[in-house]
Amino acid sequence: KAGVTQTPRYLIKTRGQQVTLSCSPISGHRSVSWYQQTPGQGLQFLFEYFSETQRNKGNFPGRFSGRQFSNSRSEMNVSTLELGDSALYLCASSLTTGAASYEQYFGPGTRLTVT
Amino acid sequence: AQKVTQAQTEISVVEKEDVTLDCVYETRDTTYYLFWYKQPPSGELVFLIRRNSFDEQNEISGRYSWNFQKSTSSFNFTITASQVVDSAVYFCALSRSNQGGKLIFGQGTELSVKP
């Protein structure tokens, strides 16, 4: 079974631009979560989507948004990029969400550099 | 609030030594889940184990073992007879029972196993 895939793997953007990252979950997985990883802040939860609905949200500004499609694929968007948005963005998928906490499987990440 | 603390930032051992990675968590929930993930240099987080708060049985998987103690809010990870391939950053994480898609990570412990 194919793992979680993320595209693109690397991205360089300029301050003020916007960016869209894509994540395809493991086949059959319906929950997708996004995380930001930086040397200073570590791994921080951005948001989770299940059945095309945002289920949980982390403490990030409104410039960070996401969505999920009917095939469970997900995208996240960052508008008006700032230097501090440079990070590894990781996507994770799991079978479902809610009361039972299933393990999440992570993709290889998208390395975003903002100059 | 939920919090995970991995006090050891870096650990260096020589191959075949045993090593224990510490994880202490904080939560007021009675039902929660604990995880360990491995992040090799390639960047992709690899799932190692999931434990729920009602299961305090220790677990062993090959050279890996986990010790869960609710009394001390700890979920420690031991690698027996370490190998160079074990070199990676290891993360302990916590999730609430009704927020399965949201993992709260510790800062990670970078393990270096030297030949």
Side-chain angles (χ1 to χ4, degrees), chain A residues 9 33 35 37 40-43 45 48 56-57 88 90 97-108, chain B residues 31 33 35 37 39 42-47 50 91 95-107:
Chain A
R9 293 292 312 278
S33 295
Y35 295 83
Q37 185 176 24
Q41 299 299 315
L43 276 158
F45 172 79
E48 179 200 9
N56 288 296
K57 189 177 190 307
L88 180 66
L90 292 161
T97 186
S101 186
Y102 293 89
E103 52 265 30
Q104 293 184 27
Y105 294 91
F106 284 78
Chain B
T31 304
Y33 295 82
F35 303 79
Y37 282 87
Q39 187 175 41
S42 60
E44 188 167 333
L45 281 163
V46 177
F47 167 78
R50 174 176 67 103
F91 291 95
S95 76
R96 307 182 74 177
S97 64
N98 62 346
Q99 294 184 352
K102 177 180 178 180
L103 290 173
I104 299 156
F105 284 92
Q107 286 298 102

mmCIF file of all heavy atoms in Angstrom, chain A residues 9 33 35 37 40-43 45 48 56-57 88 90 97-108, chain B residues 31 33 35 37 39 42-47 50 91 95-107:
data_model
loop_
_atom_site.group_PDB
_atom_site.id
_atom_site.type_symbol
_atom_site.label_atom_id
_atom_site.label_comp_id
_atom_site.label_asym_id
_atom_site.label_seq_id
_atom_site.Cartn_x
_atom_site.Cartn_y
_atom_site.Cartn_z
ATOM 1 N N ARG A 9 8.126 18.578 -2.809
ATOM 2 C CA ARG A 9 9.009 18.235 -1.696
ATOM 3 C C ARG A 9 9.789 19.457 -1.221
ATOM 4 O O ARG A 9 10.094 19.583 -0.041
ATOM 5 C CB ARG A 9 9.981 17.135 -2.118
ATOM 6 C CG ARG A 9 9.321 15.791 -2.392
ATOM 7 C CD ARG A 9 8.761 15.166 -1.104
ATOM 8 N NE ARG A 9 9.721 15.187 -0.015
ATOM 9 C CZ ARG A 9 10.684 14.308 0.146
ATOM 10 N NH1 ARG A 9 10.820 13.312 -0.719
ATOM 11 N NH2 ARG A 9 11.519 14.397 1.175
ATOM 12 N N SER A 33 -4.041 15.303 8.900
ATOM 13 C CA SER A 33 -3.579 16.361 9.797
ATOM 14 C C SER A 33 -2.327 16.999 9.222
ATOM 15 O O SER A 33 -1.561 16.344 8.516
ATOM 16 C CB SER A 33 -3.264 15.796 11.188
ATOM 17 O OG SER A 33 -4.426 15.298 11.808
ATOM 18 N N TYR A 35 1.152 19.462 10.167
ATOM 19 C CA TYR A 35 2.033 19.933 11.218
ATOM 20 C C TYR A 35 3.137 20.791 10.617
ATOM 21 O O TYR A 35 3.560 20.570 9.472
ATOM 22 C CB TYR A 35 2.692 18.747 11.954
ATOM 23 C CG TYR A 35 1.725 17.873 12.705
ATOM 24 C CD1 TYR A 35 1.030 16.867 12.047
ATOM 25 C CD2 TYR A 35 1.486 18.054 14.061
ATOM 26 C CE1 TYR A 35 0.126 16.057 12.719
ATOM 27 C CE2 TYR A 35 0.592 17.246 14.748
ATOM 28 C CZ TYR A 35 -0.080 16.251 14.068
ATOM 29 O OH TYR A 35 -0.974 15.459 14.749
ATOM 30 N N GLN A 37 7.059 21.969 11.343
ATOM 31 C CA GLN A 37 8.235 21.647 12.143
ATOM 32 C C GLN A 37 9.327 22.679 11.896
ATOM 33 O O GLN A 37 9.771 22.879 10.756
ATOM 34 C CB GLN A 37 8.776 20.244 11.814
ATOM 35 C CG GLN A 37 9.929 19.833 12.730
ATOM 36 C CD GLN A 37 10.411 18.418 12.494
ATOM 37 O OE1 GLN A 37 10.238 17.845 11.418
ATOM 38 N NE2 GLN A 37 10.994 17.809 13.522
ATOM 39 N N GLY A 40 13.104 25.940 16.178
ATOM 40 C CA GLY A 40 12.798 26.662 17.408
ATOM 41 C C GLY A 40 11.541 26.188 18.114
ATOM 42 O O GLY A 40 11.521 26.039 19.335
ATOM 43 N N GLN A 41 10.506 25.928 17.351
ATOM 44 C CA GLN A 41 9.209 25.574 17.934
ATOM 45 C C GLN A 41 8.904 24.081 17.901
ATOM 46 O O GLN A 41 7.932 23.634 18.512
ATOM 47 C CB GLN A 41 8.085 26.324 17.214
ATOM 48 C CG GLN A 41 8.191 27.834 17.306
ATOM 49 C CD GLN A 41 8.137 28.303 18.746
ATOM 50 O OE1 GLN A 41 7.301 27.849 19.536
ATOM 51 N NE2 GLN A 41 9.033 29.202 19.115
ATOM 52 N N GLY A 42 9.714 23.332 17.224
ATOM 53 C CA GLY A 42 9.470 21.891 17.148
ATOM 54 C C GLY A 42 8.295 21.571 16.246
ATOM 55 O O GLY A 42 8.004 22.288 15.295
ATOM 56 N N LEU A 43 7.609 20.489 16.588
ATOM 57 C CA LEU A 43 6.467 20.031 15.797
ATOM 58 C C LEU A 43 5.191 20.610 16.380
ATOM 59 O O LEU A 43 4.844 20.346 17.525
ATOM 60 C CB LEU A 43 6.382 18.510 15.841
ATOM 61 C CG LEU A 43 7.246 17.748 14.854
ATOM 62 C CD1 LEU A 43 7.494 16.336 15.342
ATOM 63 C CD2 LEU A 43 6.567 17.719 13.481
ATOM 64 N N PHE A 45 0.986 21.332 15.723
ATOM 65 C CA PHE A 45 -0.222 20.955 14.993
ATOM 66 C C PHE A 45 -0.862 22.174 14.342
ATOM 67 O O PHE A 45 -1.050 23.214 14.984
ATOM 68 C CB PHE A 45 -1.196 20.311 15.980
ATOM 69 C CG PHE A 45 -2.557 20.048 15.438
ATOM 70 C CD1 PHE A 45 -2.795 18.951 14.625
ATOM 71 C CD2 PHE A 45 -3.615 20.884 15.760
ATOM 72 C CE1 PHE A 45 -4.065 18.693 14.134
ATOM 73 C CE2 PHE A 45 -4.880 20.634 15.283
ATOM 74 C CZ PHE A 45 -5.121 19.539 14.470
ATOM 75 N N GLU A 48 -6.659 19.599 11.386
ATOM 76 C CA GLU A 48 -7.049 18.257 10.969
ATOM 77 C C GLU A 48 -8.337 18.333 10.164
ATOM 78 O O GLU A 48 -9.242 19.104 10.505
ATOM 79 C CB GLU A 48 -7.292 17.349 12.179
ATOM 80 C CG GLU A 48 -7.738 15.936 11.782
ATOM 81 C CD GLU A 48 -8.429 15.175 12.897
ATOM 82 O OE1 GLU A 48 -8.742 15.766 13.948
ATOM 83 O OE2 GLU A 48 -8.666 13.964 12.704
ATOM 84 N N ASN A 56 -10.165 19.916 13.956
ATOM 85 C CA ASN A 56 -9.353 20.532 15.005
ATOM 86 C C ASN A 56 -8.470 21.593 14.377
ATOM 87 O O ASN A 56 -8.102 21.476 13.195
ATOM 88 C CB ASN A 56 -8.449 19.488 15.687
ATOM 89 C CG ASN A 56 -9.212 18.544 16.572
ATOM 90 O OD1 ASN A 56 -9.801 18.954 17.559
ATOM 91 N ND2 ASN A 56 -9.215 17.266 16.229
ATOM 92 N N LYS A 57 -8.117 22.576 15.179
ATOM 93 C CA LYS A 57 -7.270 23.644 14.667
ATOM 94 C C LYS A 57 -6.241 24.003 15.734
ATOM 95 O O LYS A 57 -6.569 24.102 16.919
ATOM 96 C CB LYS A 57 -8.112 24.860 14.308
ATOM 97 C CG LYS A 57 -7.354 25.945 13.575
ATOM 98 C CD LYS A 57 -8.300 27.083 13.188
ATOM 99 C CE LYS A 57 -7.624 28.056 12.238
ATOM 100 N NZ LYS A 57 -6.343 28.587 12.708
ATOM 101 N N LEU A 88 9.504 22.788 7.752
ATOM 102 C CA LEU A 88 9.114 21.525 7.133
ATOM 103 C C LEU A 88 7.637 21.317 7.463
ATOM 104 O O LEU A 88 7.259 21.326 8.642
ATOM 105 C CB LEU A 88 9.949 20.375 7.683
ATOM 106 C CG LEU A 88 9.651 18.971 7.123
ATOM 107 C CD1 LEU A 88 10.009 18.885 5.639
ATOM 108 C CD2 LEU A 88 10.404 17.903 7.919
ATOM 109 N N LEU A 90 4.581 18.878 7.478
ATOM 110 C CA LEU A 90 4.308 17.447 7.442
ATOM 111 C C LEU A 90 2.815 17.184 7.430
ATOM 112 O O LEU A 90 2.050 17.808 8.156
ATOM 113 C CB LEU A 90 4.932 16.768 8.665
ATOM 114 C CG LEU A 90 6.459 16.743 8.695
ATOM 115 C CD1 LEU A 90 6.969 16.482 10.106
ATOM 116 C CD2 LEU A 90 6.998 15.682 7.751
ATOM 117 N N THR A 97 -11.132 9.587 12.811
ATOM 118 C CA THR A 97 -10.857 10.532 13.877
ATOM 119 C C THR A 97 -11.882 10.313 14.989
ATOM 120 O O THR A 97 -12.637 9.355 14.971
ATOM 121 C CB THR A 97 -10.930 11.976 13.340
ATOM 122 O OG1 THR A 97 -10.516 12.879 14.365
ATOM 123 C CG2 THR A 97 -12.343 12.333 12.907
ATOM 124 N N GLY A 98 -11.889 11.192 15.974
ATOM 125 C CA GLY A 98 -12.907 11.092 16.995
ATOM 126 C C GLY A 98 -12.434 10.400 18.238
ATOM 127 O O GLY A 98 -11.310 10.559 18.674
ATOM 128 N N ALA A 99 -13.276 9.603 18.814
ATOM 129 C CA ALA A 99 -13.020 9.057 20.135
ATOM 130 C C ALA A 99 -11.838 8.106 20.178
ATOM 131 O O ALA A 99 -11.092 8.095 21.143
ATOM 132 C CB ALA A 99 -14.266 8.352 20.649
ATOM 133 N N ALA A 100 -11.685 7.320 19.151
ATOM 134 C CA ALA A 100 -10.562 6.376 19.145
ATOM 135 C C ALA A 100 -9.375 7.022 18.464
ATOM 136 O O ALA A 100 -9.485 7.472 17.333
ATOM 137 C CB ALA A 100 -10.948 5.103 18.414
ATOM 138 N N SER A 101 -8.285 7.090 19.153
ATOM 139 C CA SER A 101 -7.124 7.775 18.596
ATOM 140 C C SER A 101 -6.260 6.796 17.817
ATOM 141 O O SER A 101 -5.517 6.022 18.395
ATOM 142 C CB SER A 101 -6.333 8.424 19.722
ATOM 143 O OG SER A 101 -5.281 9.198 19.202
ATOM 144 N N TYR A 102 -6.400 6.820 16.532
ATOM 145 C CA TYR A 102 -5.618 5.938 15.687
ATOM 146 C C TYR A 102 -4.245 6.537 15.420
ATOM 147 O O TYR A 102 -4.076 7.735 15.441
ATOM 148 C CB TYR A 102 -6.337 5.714 14.359
ATOM 149 C CG TYR A 102 -7.620 4.928 14.513
ATOM 150 C CD1 TYR A 102 -8.818 5.564 14.761
ATOM 151 C CD2 TYR A 102 -7.618 3.548 14.405
ATOM 152 C CE1 TYR A 102 -9.989 4.849 14.915
ATOM 153 C CE2 TYR A 102 -8.786 2.831 14.554
ATOM 154 C CZ TYR A 102 -9.976 3.479 14.807
ATOM 155 O OH TYR A 102 -11.132 2.773 14.959
ATOM 156 N N GLU A 103 -3.291 5.663 15.134
ATOM 157 C CA GLU A 103 -1.965 6.174 14.841
ATOM 158 C C GLU A 103 -1.979 6.924 13.528
ATOM 159 O O GLU A 103 -2.728 6.587 12.604
ATOM 160 C CB GLU A 103 -0.925 5.038 14.786
ATOM 161 C CG GLU A 103 -1.283 3.895 13.877
ATOM 162 C CD GLU A 103 -1.968 2.771 14.623
ATOM 163 O OE1 GLU A 103 -2.655 3.024 15.634
ATOM 164 O OE2 GLU A 103 -1.808 1.621 14.177
ATOM 165 N N GLN A 104 -1.157 7.938 13.468
ATOM 166 C CA GLN A 104 -1.024 8.740 12.263
ATOM 167 C C GLN A 104 0.229 8.317 11.519
ATOM 168 O O GLN A 104 1.272 8.060 12.113
ATOM 169 C CB GLN A 104 -0.941 10.227 12.619
ATOM 170 C CG GLN A 104 -2.226 10.771 13.204
ATOM 171 C CD GLN A 104 -2.152 12.255 13.469
ATOM 172 O OE1 GLN A 104 -1.411 12.982 12.834
ATOM 173 N NE2 GLN A 104 -2.923 12.713 14.427
ATOM 174 N N TYR A 105 0.117 8.275 10.206
ATOM 175 C CA TYR A 105 1.256 7.950 9.350
ATOM 176 C C TYR A 105 1.633 9.204 8.577
ATOM 177 O O TYR A 105 0.780 9.836 7.957
ATOM 178 C CB TYR A 105 0.887 6.799 8.410
ATOM 179 C CG TYR A 105 0.653 5.518 9.170
ATOM 180 C CD1 TYR A 105 -0.620 5.177 9.624
ATOM 181 C CD2 TYR A 105 1.712 4.662 9.465
ATOM 182 C CE1 TYR A 105 -0.829 4.009 10.351
ATOM 183 C CE2 TYR A 105 1.505 3.490 10.186
ATOM 184 C CZ TYR A 105 0.233 3.180 10.627
ATOM 185 O OH TYR A 105 0.027 2.034 11.356
ATOM 186 N N PHE A 106 2.912 9.516 8.631
ATOM 187 C CA PHE A 106 3.383 10.776 8.093
ATOM 188 C C PHE A 106 3.976 10.645 6.703
ATOM 189 O O PHE A 106 4.546 9.610 6.338
ATOM 190 C CB PHE A 106 4.440 11.379 9.016
ATOM 191 C CG PHE A 106 3.872 12.000 10.262
ATOM 192 C CD1 PHE A 106 3.477 11.216 11.329
ATOM 193 C CD2 PHE A 106 3.722 13.379 10.347
ATOM 194 C CE1 PHE A 106 2.932 11.788 12.470
ATOM 195 C CE2 PHE A 106 3.188 13.965 11.490
ATOM 196 C CZ PHE A 106 2.792 13.165 12.547
ATOM 197 N N GLY A 107 3.848 11.723 5.953
ATOM 198 C CA GLY A 107 4.505 11.828 4.666
ATOM 199 C C GLY A 107 5.914 12.370 4.827
ATOM 200 O O GLY A 107 6.338 12.681 5.945
ATOM 201 N N PRO A 108 6.647 12.497 3.721
ATOM 202 C CA PRO A 108 8.033 12.953 3.781
ATOM 203 C C PRO A 108 8.178 14.451 4.040
ATOM 204 O O PRO A 108 9.270 14.916 4.357
ATOM 205 C CB PRO A 108 8.581 12.592 2.401
ATOM 206 C CG PRO A 108 7.378 12.616 1.517
ATOM 207 C CD PRO A 108 6.227 12.148 2.354
ATOM 208 N N THR B 31 -8.644 9.677 29.886
ATOM 209 C CA THR B 31 -8.417 8.873 28.683
ATOM 210 C C THR B 31 -7.548 9.672 27.715
ATOM 211 O O THR B 31 -7.918 10.784 27.324
ATOM 212 C CB THR B 31 -9.745 8.508 28.005
ATOM 213 O OG1 THR B 31 -10.585 7.828 28.929
ATOM 214 C CG2 THR B 31 -9.485 7.597 26.801
ATOM 215 N N TYR B 33 -3.893 9.137 24.807
ATOM 216 C CA TYR B 33 -3.042 8.205 24.069
ATOM 217 C C TYR B 33 -1.625 8.757 24.007
ATOM 218 O O TYR B 33 -1.431 9.971 23.885
ATOM 219 C CB TYR B 33 -3.584 8.001 22.646
ATOM 220 C CG TYR B 33 -4.939 7.339 22.634
ATOM 221 C CD1 TYR B 33 -6.097 8.071 22.838
ATOM 222 C CD2 TYR B 33 -5.054 5.964 22.441
ATOM 223 C CE1 TYR B 33 -7.341 7.467 22.850
ATOM 224 C CE2 TYR B 33 -6.293 5.347 22.446
ATOM 225 C CZ TYR B 33 -7.429 6.102 22.652
ATOM 226 O OH TYR B 33 -8.653 5.498 22.666
ATOM 227 N N PHE B 35 2.317 8.212 22.222
ATOM 228 C CA PHE B 35 2.962 7.698 21.009
ATOM 229 C C PHE B 35 4.469 7.944 21.073
ATOM 230 O O PHE B 35 4.940 8.869 21.741
ATOM 231 C CB PHE B 35 2.442 8.434 19.758
ATOM 232 C CG PHE B 35 0.958 8.367 19.559
ATOM 233 C CD1 PHE B 35 0.104 9.181 20.279
ATOM 234 C CD2 PHE B 35 0.418 7.501 18.624
ATOM 235 C CE1 PHE B 35 -1.272 9.128 20.098
ATOM 236 C CE2 PHE B 35 -0.951 7.447 18.414
ATOM 237 C CZ PHE B 35 -1.791 8.265 19.156
ATOM 238 N N TYR B 37 7.490 8.345 17.990
ATOM 239 C CA TYR B 37 7.817 8.403 16.573
ATOM 240 C C TYR B 37 9.326 8.558 16.422
ATOM 241 O O TYR B 37 9.984 9.158 17.263
ATOM 242 C CB TYR B 37 7.129 9.596 15.892
ATOM 243 C CG TYR B 37 5.673 9.387 15.580
ATOM 244 C CD1 TYR B 37 4.687 9.665 16.527
ATOM 245 C CD2 TYR B 37 5.280 8.923 14.330
ATOM 246 C CE1 TYR B 37 3.342 9.474 16.235
ATOM 247 C CE2 TYR B 37 3.934 8.731 14.028
ATOM 248 C CZ TYR B 37 2.977 9.019 14.989
ATOM 249 O OH TYR B 37 1.656 8.828 14.695
ATOM 250 N N GLN B 39 12.295 9.980 13.738
ATOM 251 C CA GLN B 39 12.522 10.806 12.562
ATOM 252 C C GLN B 39 13.985 10.654 12.133
ATOM 253 O O GLN B 39 14.870 11.301 12.676
ATOM 254 C CB GLN B 39 12.190 12.278 12.825
ATOM 255 C CG GLN B 39 12.250 13.135 11.567
ATOM 256 C CD GLN B 39 11.800 14.564 11.813
ATOM 257 O OE1 GLN B 39 12.142 15.165 12.832
ATOM 258 N NE2 GLN B 39 11.036 15.119 10.879
ATOM 259 N N SER B 42 16.198 11.472 6.875
ATOM 260 C CA SER B 42 15.372 11.700 5.680
ATOM 261 C C SER B 42 14.183 12.610 5.990
ATOM 262 O O SER B 42 13.596 13.198 5.080
ATOM 263 C CB SER B 42 14.862 10.370 5.123
ATOM 264 O OG SER B 42 14.073 9.711 6.092
ATOM 265 N N GLY B 43 13.802 12.707 7.254
ATOM 266 C CA GLY B 43 12.759 13.657 7.654
ATOM 267 C C GLY B 43 11.386 13.069 7.906
ATOM 268 O O GLY B 43 10.558 13.697 8.559
ATOM 269 N N GLU B 44 11.105 11.895 7.385
ATOM 270 C CA GLU B 44 9.765 11.332 7.533
ATOM 271 C C GLU B 44 9.590 10.724 8.925
ATOM 272 O O GLU B 44 10.387 9.928 9.374
ATOM 273 C CB GLU B 44 9.560 10.259 6.470
ATOM 274 C CG GLU B 44 8.163 9.720 6.371
ATOM 275 C CD GLU B 44 7.973 8.909 5.102
ATOM 276 O OE1 GLU B 44 8.669 9.167 4.107
ATOM 277 O OE2 GLU B 44 7.123 8.012 5.119
ATOM 278 N N LEU B 45 8.533 11.086 9.612
ATOM 279 C CA LEU B 45 8.257 10.536 10.941
ATOM 280 C C LEU B 45 7.732 9.115 10.802
ATOM 281 O O LEU B 45 6.792 8.856 10.064
ATOM 282 C CB LEU B 45 7.217 11.385 11.663
ATOM 283 C CG LEU B 45 7.729 12.682 12.284
ATOM 284 C CD1 LEU B 45 6.585 13.614 12.595
ATOM 285 C CD2 LEU B 45 8.498 12.373 13.560
ATOM 286 N N VAL B 46 8.339 8.208 11.556
ATOM 287 C CA VAL B 46 7.959 6.800 11.497
ATOM 288 C C VAL B 46 7.288 6.418 12.809
ATOM 289 O O VAL B 46 7.851 6.601 13.885
ATOM 290 C CB VAL B 46 9.199 5.915 11.264
ATOM 291 C CG1 VAL B 46 8.813 4.441 11.267
ATOM 292 C CG2 VAL B 46 9.889 6.285 9.955
ATOM 293 N N PHE B 47 6.079 5.886 12.711
ATOM 294 C CA PHE B 47 5.318 5.473 13.882
ATOM 295 C C PHE B 47 5.986 4.264 14.535
ATOM 296 O O PHE B 47 6.365 3.302 13.863
ATOM 297 C CB PHE B 47 3.890 5.128 13.457
ATOM 298 C CG PHE B 47 3.092 4.411 14.507
ATOM 299 C CD1 PHE B 47 2.536 5.102 15.558
ATOM 300 C CD2 PHE B 47 2.909 3.031 14.430
ATOM 301 C CE1 PHE B 47 1.796 4.442 16.530
ATOM 302 C CE2 PHE B 47 2.178 2.359 15.390
ATOM 303 C CZ PHE B 47 1.619 3.069 16.442
ATOM 304 N N ARG B 50 1.762 3.055 19.943
ATOM 305 C CA ARG B 50 0.649 3.812 20.520
ATOM 306 C C ARG B 50 0.192 3.082 21.771
ATOM 307 O O ARG B 50 0.088 1.854 21.781
ATOM 308 C CB ARG B 50 -0.512 3.906 19.534
ATOM 309 C CG ARG B 50 -1.767 4.541 20.107
ATOM 310 C CD ARG B 50 -2.822 4.676 19.038
ATOM 311 N NE ARG B 50 -3.331 3.394 18.578
ATOM 312 C CZ ARG B 50 -4.496 2.871 18.926
ATOM 313 N NH1 ARG B 50 -5.251 3.507 19.801
ATOM 314 N NH2 ARG B 50 -4.885 1.723 18.431
ATOM 315 N N PHE B 91 10.576 11.275 18.948
ATOM 316 C CA PHE B 91 9.563 12.152 19.519
ATOM 317 C C PHE B 91 8.536 11.346 20.297
ATOM 318 O O PHE B 91 8.039 10.318 19.826
ATOM 319 C CB PHE B 91 8.825 12.925 18.413
ATOM 320 C CG PHE B 91 9.664 13.955 17.726
ATOM 321 C CD1 PHE B 91 10.324 13.640 16.553
ATOM 322 C CD2 PHE B 91 9.773 15.235 18.248
ATOM 323 C CE1 PHE B 91 11.098 14.589 15.903
ATOM 324 C CE2 PHE B 91 10.539 16.192 17.606
ATOM 325 C CZ PHE B 91 11.214 15.861 16.437
ATOM 326 N N SER B 95 -2.118 12.512 22.663
ATOM 327 C CA SER B 95 -3.353 13.026 22.075
ATOM 328 C C SER B 95 -4.504 12.783 23.043
ATOM 329 O O SER B 95 -4.502 11.826 23.814
ATOM 330 C CB SER B 95 -3.646 12.382 20.718
ATOM 331 O OG SER B 95 -4.137 11.073 20.872
ATOM 332 N N ARG B 96 -5.479 13.658 22.976
ATOM 333 C CA ARG B 96 -6.686 13.513 23.801
ATOM 334 C C ARG B 96 -7.608 12.525 23.114
ATOM 335 O O ARG B 96 -7.559 12.366 21.892
ATOM 336 C CB ARG B 96 -7.367 14.866 23.969
ATOM 337 C CG ARG B 96 -6.426 15.943 24.480
ATOM 338 C CD ARG B 96 -7.153 17.239 24.682
ATOM 339 N NE ARG B 96 -8.001 17.167 25.871
ATOM 340 C CZ ARG B 96 -8.719 18.191 26.323
ATOM 341 N NH1 ARG B 96 -8.702 19.337 25.675
ATOM 342 N NH2 ARG B 96 -9.453 18.076 27.404
ATOM 343 N N SER B 97 -8.468 11.918 23.876
ATOM 344 C CA SER B 97 -9.293 10.857 23.316
ATOM 345 C C SER B 97 -10.248 11.374 22.253
ATOM 346 O O SER B 97 -10.588 10.663 21.312
ATOM 347 C CB SER B 97 -10.099 10.173 24.423
ATOM 348 O OG SER B 97 -11.013 11.082 24.998
ATOM 349 N N ASN B 98 -10.702 12.624 22.370
ATOM 350 C CA ASN B 98 -11.654 13.155 21.393
ATOM 351 C C ASN B 98 -10.989 14.055 20.358
ATOM 352 O O ASN B 98 -11.669 14.733 19.596
ATOM 353 C CB ASN B 98 -12.756 13.926 22.113
ATOM 354 C CG ASN B 98 -12.208 15.117 22.879
ATOM 355 O OD1 ASN B 98 -11.004 15.219 23.081
ATOM 356 N ND2 ASN B 98 -13.072 16.014 23.296
ATOM 357 N N GLN B 99 -9.682 14.055 20.340
ATOM 358 C CA GLN B 99 -8.931 14.851 19.359
ATOM 359 C C GLN B 99 -7.829 13.991 18.766
ATOM 360 O O GLN B 99 -6.658 14.336 18.809
ATOM 361 C CB GLN B 99 -8.337 16.105 20.005
ATOM 362 C CG GLN B 99 -9.392 17.087 20.473
ATOM 363 C CD GLN B 99 -8.770 18.376 21.013
ATOM 364 O OE1 GLN B 99 -7.562 18.481 21.168
ATOM 365 N NE2 GLN B 99 -9.620 19.341 21.300
ATOM 366 N N GLY B 100 -8.271 12.858 18.225
ATOM 367 C CA GLY B 100 -7.293 11.890 17.754
ATOM 368 C C GLY B 100 -6.355 12.405 16.698
ATOM 369 O O GLY B 100 -5.230 11.940 16.581
ATOM 370 N N GLY B 101 -6.806 13.382 15.925
ATOM 371 C CA GLY B 101 -5.955 13.869 14.848
ATOM 372 C C GLY B 101 -4.981 14.934 15.266
ATOM 373 O O GLY B 101 -4.231 15.445 14.447
ATOM 374 N N LYS B 102 -4.947 15.263 16.540
ATOM 375 C CA LYS B 102 -4.073 16.328 17.027
ATOM 376 C C LYS B 102 -3.059 15.742 17.994
ATOM 377 O O LYS B 102 -3.386 15.378 19.126
ATOM 378 C CB LYS B 102 -4.895 17.401 17.744
ATOM 379 C CG LYS B 102 -4.048 18.523 18.337
ATOM 380 C CD LYS B 102 -4.918 19.550 19.028
ATOM 381 C CE LYS B 102 -4.073 20.645 19.652
ATOM 382 N NZ LYS B 102 -4.936 21.659 20.321
ATOM 383 N N LEU B 103 -1.836 15.643 17.541
ATOM 384 C CA LEU B 103 -0.757 15.143 18.385
ATOM 385 C C LEU B 103 -0.005 16.317 18.989
ATOM 386 O O LEU B 103 0.306 17.286 18.300
ATOM 387 C CB LEU B 103 0.220 14.296 17.559
ATOM 388 C CG LEU B 103 -0.292 12.943 17.068
ATOM 389 C CD1 LEU B 103 0.729 12.307 16.138
ATOM 390 C CD2 LEU B 103 -0.580 12.027 18.238
ATOM 391 N N ILE B 104 0.269 16.198 20.283
ATOM 392 C CA ILE B 104 1.082 17.192 20.975
ATOM 393 C C ILE B 104 2.447 16.549 21.193
ATOM 394 O O ILE B 104 2.564 15.554 21.919
ATOM 395 C CB ILE B 104 0.435 17.580 22.314
ATOM 396 C CG1 ILE B 104 -0.934 18.183 22.048
ATOM 397 C CG2 ILE B 104 1.325 18.564 23.080
ATOM 398 C CD1 ILE B 104 -1.874 18.072 23.207
ATOM 399 N N PHE B 105 3.444 17.119 20.552
ATOM 400 C CA PHE B 105 4.770 16.509 20.569
ATOM 401 C C PHE B 105 5.682 17.116 21.623
ATOM 402 O O PHE B 105 5.576 18.306 21.962
ATOM 403 C CB PHE B 105 5.451 16.706 19.202
ATOM 404 C CG PHE B 105 4.930 15.812 18.123
ATOM 405 C CD1 PHE B 105 3.891 16.234 17.301
ATOM 406 C CD2 PHE B 105 5.489 14.561 17.912
ATOM 407 C CE1 PHE B 105 3.417 15.408 16.286
ATOM 408 C CE2 PHE B 105 5.025 13.736 16.908
ATOM 409 C CZ PHE B 105 3.985 14.159 16.092
ATOM 410 N N GLY B 106 6.603 16.294 22.098
ATOM 411 C CA GLY B 106 7.712 16.801 22.883
ATOM 412 C C GLY B 106 8.735 17.407 21.929
ATOM 413 O O GLY B 106 8.567 17.363 20.706
ATOM 414 N N GLN B 107 9.796 17.957 22.489
ATOM 415 C CA GLN B 107 10.794 18.634 21.666
ATOM 416 C C GLN B 107 11.715 17.660 20.933
ATOM 417 O O GLN B 107 12.487 18.071 20.071
ATOM 418 C CB GLN B 107 11.631 19.584 22.518
ATOM 419 C CG GLN B 107 10.890 20.846 22.915
ATOM 420 C CD GLN B 107 10.487 21.686 21.708
ATOM 421 O OE1 GLN B 107 9.335 21.679 21.276
ATOM 422 N NE2 GLN B 107 11.429 22.409 21.139
#
